[in-house]
Amino acid sequence: MSTSKTLFITGVSSGFGKALAQQALAAGHTVIGTLRDQQALQTFESLSQRAHGVLLDVTDFDTIDAAINQADRTFGPVDVLVNNAGYGHEGVFEESSLDDMRRQFEVNVFGAVAITKAFVPLFRQRRSGHIINITSMGGYITMPGIAYYCGSKFALEGISETLSKELKPFGIFVTAVAPGSFRTDWAGRSMQRSPRQIADYDALFDPIRQAREEKSGKQLGDPVKAAQAMLQLIASDNPPAHLLLGSDALQLVRDKLAQLSAQMDEWEQVTRSTDG
Ligand code: NAP
């Protein structure tokens, strides 16, 4: 197999998507990247002759199939799909509307699924392909104020793992990549914050919101190093179904699994009591 591949990455204007596109181009790969405005598309295409922009919002469900088939025919065949586009909604559950939740799931879950659905028939016919879904450590662990975000990332983790089992017989791999905190625009310009309304939550939530705002741009993780890790993943003959990125994610997810296991042990008798 050739080591130079064609990647289709959603959301290459900033953060992980931009870093992965740049590192992939520097490594000799071809990148088809989605963007949401013409100016950003031109900037992206000026990076390299192997950088091809596609104007697409991942919630433009009626146009996704045609856009992807055309991009695959024109610049492909695509070897690797990276569902990266997404954002974080932050807000206390009681203060966050159903519309906030719908929008969060439209982009982070339905958007990624719609893009994946367009690629699966192509990959299945070719008996090859790798789908990388950028989830989050928030797809394993939770904290107050990001219920909808965690819900969307738990959903994508579950869909991703299931799909990996359905597609493995065809030689197609699916990996859910769950980053910890990285220096992207996620907690800055991209975050949707529901306004505060209920004083009862001030003590719990105000420090969390403030800490996230203050930490934006100073997070532990380097998106360029995440991109290099993903290039390593793409080069693997046997990529895993799950990959965490960042020592914060590693620690927090390990703690969560240990707590879950301890709770299962504590309640084992009750759990077993329903058989028969
Ligand atoms: P980012 O810098 O804000 O980048 C987000 C990218 O997604 C941008 O290119 C943005 O495009 C695009 N996007 C957002 N909504 C879109 C839509 N409806 N259609 C098409 N493109 C859309 O943040 P990031 O951290 O790199 O985010 C990338 C992924 O990593 C997300 O799924 C995020 O949840 C996940 N993640 C981030 C962190 C972190 O700490 N940074 C941790 C775990 C997971 P525009 O420029 O047009 O807005």
Side-chain angles (χ1 to χ4, degrees):
M1 195 193 285
S2 149
T3 51
S4 153
K5 298 189 175 178
T6 299
L7 283 67
F8 185 102
I9 308 171
T10 61
V12 293
S13 65
S14 70
F16 289 127
K18 183 178 182 180
L20 180 57
Q22 287 176 340
Q23 294 303 307
L25 289 167
H29 300 297
T30 295
V31 178
I32 310 168
T34 76
L35 302 117
R36 292 198 287 180
D37 71 75
Q38 190 61 40
Q39 180 64 48
L41 186 144
Q42 275 164 3
T43 306
F44 174 66
E45 289 195 331
S46 70
L47 287 174
S48 158
Q49 285 187 336
R50 286 175 280 103
H52 307 288
V54 174
L55 269 187
L56 191 75
D57 186 299
V58 297
T59 61
D60 287 341
F61 299 116
D62 295 340
T63 62
I64 283 175
D65 280 2
I68 282 171
N69 281 306
Q70 196 192 339
D72 187 78
R73 264 197 315 274
T74 314
F75 310 119
V78 171
D79 303 296
V80 183
L81 161 64
V82 183
N83 281 306
N84 163 73
Y87 75 93
H89 167 267
E90 184 202 69
V92 172
F93 177 87
E94 200 180 339
E95 295 177 340
S96 302
S97 70
L98 270 185
D99 277 345
D100 289 338
M101 178 174 175
R102 277 198 193 94
R103 182 71 194 151
Q104 181 73 105
F105 275 64
E106 286 274 286
V107 176
N108 291 9
V109 184
F110 287 84
V113 168
I115 302 278
T116 303
K117 276 190 165 293
F119 274 106
V120 166
L122 303 174
F123 286 175
R124 184 171 46 72
Q125 280 151 26
R126 292 175 197 149
R127 293 297 196 260
S128 72
H130 190 177
I131 299 166
I132 295 175
N133 291 316
I134 308 298
T135 60
S136 171
M137 66 178 171
Y140 294 85
I141 62 141
T142 60
M143 63 192 82
I146 49 170
Y148 296 166
Y149 183 68
C150 289
S152 75
K153 295 300 188 179
F154 270 66
L156 192 55
E157 279 281 335
I159 292 165
S160 194
E161 188 183 286
T162 307
L163 189 61
S164 76
K165 293 173 181 171
E166 292 184 10
L167 297 184
K168 197 159 190 188
F170 308 127
I172 303 163
F173 294 97
V174 184
T175 307
V177 170
S181 293
F182 279 74
R183 296 185 296 276
T184 70
D185 290 351
W186 183 83
R189 65 150 184 128
S190 301
M191 180 155 270
Q192 301 295 312
R193 293 180 161 92
S194 291
R196 296 296 332 282
Q197 291 163 13
I198 307 171
D200 272 351
Y201 292 106
D202 289 359
L204 174 73
F205 183 60
D206 284 353
I208 294 176
R209 174 161 282 177
Q210 196 187 337
R212 183 171 288 120
E213 278 167 348
E214 283 170 7
K215 204 178 149 198
S216 182
K218 301 179 201 135
Q219 294 93 333
L220 180 66
D222 178 352
V224 172
K225 290 186 176 165
Q228 282 156 359
M230 286 190 263
L231 289 182
Q232 220 177 309
L233 176 71
I234 287 162
S236 167
D237 291 335
N238 190 22
H242 300 278
L243 178 66
L244 298 170
L245 295 180
S247 59
D248 53 350
L250 191 65
Q251 187 61 53
L252 289 163
V253 174
R254 276 198 172 134
D255 290 350
K256 160 80 187 257
L257 295 178
Q259 281 163 19
L260 193 61
S261 182
Q263 206 170 70
M264 282 163 65
D265 291 347
E266 194 184 336
W267 286 84
E268 182 168 346
Q269 244 186 330
V270 177
T271 300
R272 288 187 180 282
S273 70
T274 57
D275 292 355

Short mmCIF file of all heavy atoms in Angstrom, two decimals, residues 11-16 36 56-58 84-86 103 107 134-136 149 153 179-182 184-186 189-190, ligand 1:
data_model
loop_
_atom_site.label_atom_id
_atom_site.label_comp_id
_atom_site.label_asym_id
_atom_site.label_seq_id
_atom_site.Cartn_x
_atom_site.Cartn_y
_atom_site.Cartn_z
N GLY A 11 -13.86 20.61 8.80
CA GLY A 11 -13.48 21.70 9.69
C GLY A 11 -11.98 21.93 9.76
O GLY A 11 -11.36 21.72 10.79
N VAL A 12 -11.39 22.41 8.62
CA VAL A 12 -9.94 22.62 8.60
C VAL A 12 -9.55 24.09 8.80
O VAL A 12 -8.41 24.46 8.57
CB VAL A 12 -9.29 22.07 7.29
CG1 VAL A 12 -9.38 20.56 7.25
CG2 VAL A 12 -9.89 22.70 6.05
N SER A 13 -10.51 24.92 9.24
CA SER A 13 -10.20 26.35 9.39
C SER A 13 -9.39 26.66 10.65
O SER A 13 -8.70 27.66 10.71
CB SER A 13 -11.49 27.17 9.42
OG SER A 13 -12.24 26.83 10.57
N SER A 14 -9.51 25.81 11.67
CA SER A 14 -8.77 26.08 12.92
C SER A 14 -8.57 24.79 13.71
O SER A 14 -9.05 23.73 13.31
CB SER A 14 -9.50 27.13 13.77
OG SER A 14 -10.70 26.61 14.30
N GLY A 15 -7.86 24.91 14.83
CA GLY A 15 -7.75 23.82 15.79
C GLY A 15 -7.17 22.53 15.22
O GLY A 15 -6.22 22.54 14.43
N PHE A 16 -7.75 21.40 15.66
CA PHE A 16 -7.25 20.09 15.25
C PHE A 16 -7.29 19.89 13.73
O PHE A 16 -6.38 19.31 13.15
CB PHE A 16 -8.10 18.97 15.87
CG PHE A 16 -7.92 18.79 17.35
CD1 PHE A 16 -9.01 18.79 18.20
CD2 PHE A 16 -6.66 18.59 17.90
CE1 PHE A 16 -8.86 18.62 19.57
CE2 PHE A 16 -6.49 18.41 19.27
CZ PHE A 16 -7.60 18.43 20.10
N ARG A 36 -16.36 26.70 5.84
CA ARG A 36 -17.70 27.28 5.76
C ARG A 36 -17.74 28.63 5.08
O ARG A 36 -18.81 29.19 4.94
CB ARG A 36 -18.32 27.35 7.15
CG ARG A 36 -18.62 25.97 7.68
CD ARG A 36 -19.59 26.00 8.82
NE ARG A 36 -19.02 26.50 10.06
CZ ARG A 36 -19.69 26.62 11.18
NH1 ARG A 36 -20.95 26.29 11.21
NH2 ARG A 36 -19.10 27.06 12.28
N LEU A 56 -18.75 23.47 2.88
CA LEU A 56 -19.77 22.58 3.44
C LEU A 56 -19.95 22.84 4.93
O LEU A 56 -18.99 22.93 5.69
CB LEU A 56 -19.33 21.12 3.24
CG LEU A 56 -20.36 20.05 3.54
CD1 LEU A 56 -21.41 19.97 2.43
CD2 LEU A 56 -19.69 18.67 3.66
N ASP A 57 -21.21 22.94 5.32
CA ASP A 57 -21.56 22.89 6.74
C ASP A 57 -22.03 21.46 6.97
O ASP A 57 -22.83 20.94 6.17
CB ASP A 57 -22.69 23.91 7.02
CG ASP A 57 -23.01 24.02 8.50
OD1 ASP A 57 -23.40 23.00 9.11
OD2 ASP A 57 -22.86 25.12 9.06
N VAL A 58 -21.58 20.81 8.02
CA VAL A 58 -21.92 19.39 8.21
C VAL A 58 -23.39 19.17 8.53
O VAL A 58 -23.84 18.02 8.60
CB VAL A 58 -21.02 18.68 9.26
CG1 VAL A 58 -19.58 18.68 8.84
CG2 VAL A 58 -21.20 19.28 10.65
N ASN A 84 -14.06 15.76 12.17
CA ASN A 84 -13.47 16.63 13.18
C ASN A 84 -14.40 17.79 13.56
O ASN A 84 -14.42 18.21 14.72
CB ASN A 84 -12.14 17.18 12.63
CG ASN A 84 -11.65 18.38 13.40
OD1 ASN A 84 -11.18 18.26 14.52
ND2 ASN A 84 -11.76 19.56 12.80
N ALA A 85 -15.19 18.30 12.60
CA ALA A 85 -16.02 19.49 12.84
C ALA A 85 -16.91 19.27 14.05
O ALA A 85 -17.55 18.22 14.19
CB ALA A 85 -16.87 19.80 11.61
N GLY A 86 -16.95 20.25 14.93
CA GLY A 86 -17.78 20.14 16.12
C GLY A 86 -17.55 21.34 17.00
O GLY A 86 -16.63 22.14 16.75
N ARG A 103 -29.11 21.63 18.45
CA ARG A 103 -28.00 22.17 17.63
C ARG A 103 -26.71 21.41 17.94
O ARG A 103 -25.95 21.07 17.04
CB ARG A 103 -27.86 23.68 17.93
CG ARG A 103 -26.79 24.38 17.13
CD ARG A 103 -27.17 24.53 15.66
NE ARG A 103 -26.00 24.91 14.86
CZ ARG A 103 -25.82 24.61 13.59
NH1 ARG A 103 -26.73 23.94 12.91
NH2 ARG A 103 -24.73 24.98 12.95
N VAL A 107 -24.77 19.08 14.95
CA VAL A 107 -23.40 19.24 14.46
C VAL A 107 -22.54 18.04 14.87
O VAL A 107 -21.94 17.37 14.02
CB VAL A 107 -22.78 20.56 14.96
CG1 VAL A 107 -21.32 20.68 14.53
CG2 VAL A 107 -23.58 21.76 14.48
N ILE A 134 -13.47 12.38 15.79
CA ILE A 134 -12.91 13.12 16.92
C ILE A 134 -14.04 13.25 17.96
O ILE A 134 -15.00 13.99 17.75
CB ILE A 134 -12.39 14.52 16.52
CG1 ILE A 134 -11.42 14.42 15.32
CG2 ILE A 134 -11.72 15.19 17.73
CD1 ILE A 134 -10.18 13.62 15.56
N THR A 135 -13.90 12.52 19.03
CA THR A 135 -14.90 12.61 20.10
C THR A 135 -14.33 13.54 21.16
O THR A 135 -14.07 14.70 20.88
CB THR A 135 -15.24 11.20 20.64
OG1 THR A 135 -14.06 10.58 21.17
CG2 THR A 135 -15.85 10.34 19.54
N SER A 136 -14.06 13.04 22.36
CA SER A 136 -13.51 13.87 23.45
C SER A 136 -13.34 12.99 24.67
O SER A 136 -14.02 11.96 24.79
CB SER A 136 -14.50 14.99 23.78
OG SER A 136 -14.10 15.68 24.96
N TYR A 149 -22.88 18.55 25.57
CA TYR A 149 -21.62 18.23 24.89
C TYR A 149 -21.21 16.78 25.18
O TYR A 149 -20.94 16.00 24.27
CB TYR A 149 -20.51 19.18 25.32
CG TYR A 149 -19.19 18.96 24.62
CD1 TYR A 149 -19.06 19.22 23.26
CD2 TYR A 149 -18.08 18.45 25.30
CE1 TYR A 149 -17.86 19.00 22.60
CE2 TYR A 149 -16.88 18.23 24.65
CZ TYR A 149 -16.77 18.51 23.29
OH TYR A 149 -15.58 18.28 22.64
N LYS A 153 -20.87 13.52 22.67
CA LYS A 153 -19.61 12.78 22.48
C LYS A 153 -19.76 11.32 22.93
O LYS A 153 -19.16 10.42 22.33
CB LYS A 153 -18.45 13.48 23.20
CG LYS A 153 -18.13 14.86 22.61
CD LYS A 153 -17.72 14.80 21.14
CE LYS A 153 -17.21 16.13 20.61
NZ LYS A 153 -16.80 16.09 19.20
N PRO A 179 -9.64 13.42 22.55
CA PRO A 179 -8.62 14.31 23.12
C PRO A 179 -9.02 14.84 24.50
O PRO A 179 -10.20 14.99 24.81
CB PRO A 179 -8.55 15.48 22.13
CG PRO A 179 -9.38 15.09 20.94
CD PRO A 179 -10.36 14.08 21.45
N GLY A 180 -8.00 15.16 25.29
CA GLY A 180 -8.20 15.94 26.51
C GLY A 180 -8.30 17.41 26.14
O GLY A 180 -8.84 17.74 25.09
N SER A 181 -7.74 18.30 26.97
CA SER A 181 -7.83 19.74 26.70
C SER A 181 -6.68 20.21 25.82
O SER A 181 -5.51 20.02 26.18
CB SER A 181 -7.76 20.52 28.02
OG SER A 181 -8.91 20.27 28.77
N PHE A 182 -7.01 20.80 24.71
CA PHE A 182 -5.99 21.26 23.75
C PHE A 182 -6.18 22.74 23.42
O PHE A 182 -7.29 23.26 23.50
CB PHE A 182 -6.08 20.43 22.45
CG PHE A 182 -5.39 19.10 22.54
CD1 PHE A 182 -5.94 18.06 23.28
CD2 PHE A 182 -4.17 18.89 21.90
CE1 PHE A 182 -5.30 16.83 23.38
CE2 PHE A 182 -3.51 17.67 22.00
CZ PHE A 182 -4.08 16.63 22.74
N THR A 184 -7.01 24.98 21.13
CA THR A 184 -7.70 25.28 19.87
C THR A 184 -8.70 26.39 20.17
O THR A 184 -8.71 26.95 21.26
CB THR A 184 -8.48 24.04 19.38
OG1 THR A 184 -9.58 23.82 20.27
CG2 THR A 184 -7.60 22.79 19.35
N ASP A 185 -9.60 26.68 19.23
CA ASP A 185 -10.63 27.71 19.45
C ASP A 185 -11.85 27.17 20.18
O ASP A 185 -12.85 27.87 20.34
CB ASP A 185 -11.07 28.31 18.10
CG ASP A 185 -9.98 29.15 17.48
OD1 ASP A 185 -8.96 29.41 18.16
OD2 ASP A 185 -10.13 29.54 16.30
N TRP A 186 -11.78 25.89 20.63
CA TRP A 186 -12.95 25.21 21.22
C TRP A 186 -13.59 25.99 22.37
O TRP A 186 -14.80 26.22 22.38
CB TRP A 186 -12.53 23.81 21.69
CG TRP A 186 -13.66 23.00 22.25
CD1 TRP A 186 -14.55 22.25 21.53
CD2 TRP A 186 -14.00 22.81 23.63
NE1 TRP A 186 -15.43 21.63 22.39
CE2 TRP A 186 -15.12 21.97 23.68
CE3 TRP A 186 -13.46 23.30 24.84
CZ2 TRP A 186 -15.72 21.58 24.87
CZ3 TRP A 186 -14.07 22.91 26.03
CH2 TRP A 186 -15.18 22.06 26.04
N ARG A 189 -13.70 31.26 20.61
CA ARG A 189 -14.74 31.78 19.70
C ARG A 189 -15.80 30.72 19.35
O ARG A 189 -16.92 31.06 19.00
CB ARG A 189 -14.10 32.30 18.41
CG ARG A 189 -13.43 31.20 17.59
CD ARG A 189 -13.40 31.40 16.10
NE ARG A 189 -12.82 30.20 15.48
CZ ARG A 189 -13.38 29.52 14.51
NH1 ARG A 189 -14.55 29.88 14.03
NH2 ARG A 189 -12.78 28.45 14.03
N SER A 190 -15.46 29.44 19.43
CA SER A 190 -16.41 28.41 18.97
C SER A 190 -17.45 28.01 20.01
O SER A 190 -18.50 27.48 19.66
CB SER A 190 -15.64 27.15 18.54
OG SER A 190 -14.73 27.45 17.52
P1 NAP B 1 -12.06 24.76 16.81
O1 NAP B 1 -10.70 25.35 16.71
O2 NAP B 1 -13.20 25.60 17.24
O3 NAP B 1 -12.39 24.08 15.40
C1 NAP B 1 -13.67 23.59 15.08
C2 NAP B 1 -13.77 23.38 13.59
O4 NAP B 1 -15.07 22.80 13.31
C3 NAP B 1 -13.71 24.68 12.80
O5 NAP B 1 -13.04 24.44 11.58
C4 NAP B 1 -15.18 24.99 12.54
O6 NAP B 1 -15.40 25.76 11.39
C5 NAP B 1 -15.72 23.59 12.32
N1 NAP B 1 -17.16 23.53 12.47
C6 NAP B 1 -17.91 23.80 13.56
N2 NAP B 1 -19.21 23.63 13.30
C7 NAP B 1 -19.29 23.23 12.01
C8 NAP B 1 -20.36 22.90 11.14
N3 NAP B 1 -21.65 22.96 11.53
N4 NAP B 1 -20.07 22.51 9.86
C9 NAP B 1 -18.80 22.47 9.44
N5 NAP B 1 -17.73 22.79 10.20
C10 NAP B 1 -17.99 23.17 11.47
O7 NAP B 1 -12.05 23.57 17.87
P2 NAP B 1 -11.32 22.13 17.89
O8 NAP B 1 -10.97 21.88 19.28
O9 NAP B 1 -10.25 22.05 16.85
O10 NAP B 1 -12.55 21.20 17.52
C11 NAP B 1 -12.43 20.08 16.67
C12 NAP B 1 -13.07 18.87 17.33
O11 NAP B 1 -12.31 18.50 18.49
C13 NAP B 1 -14.49 19.11 17.82
O12 NAP B 1 -15.29 18.00 17.49
C14 NAP B 1 -14.31 19.24 19.33
O13 NAP B 1 -15.48 18.90 20.04
C15 NAP B 1 -13.19 18.23 19.56
N6 NAP B 1 -12.48 18.33 20.82
C16 NAP B 1 -11.78 19.45 21.17
C17 NAP B 1 -11.07 19.47 22.36
C18 NAP B 1 -10.21 20.64 22.76
O14 NAP B 1 -9.79 20.72 23.92
N7 NAP B 1 -9.91 21.54 21.89
C19 NAP B 1 -11.07 18.37 23.21
C20 NAP B 1 -11.81 17.25 22.84
C21 NAP B 1 -12.50 17.25 21.64
P3 NAP B 1 -15.64 27.39 11.45
O15 NAP B 1 -14.26 28.00 11.46
O16 NAP B 1 -16.39 27.69 10.20
O17 NAP B 1 -16.40 27.69 12.71
#
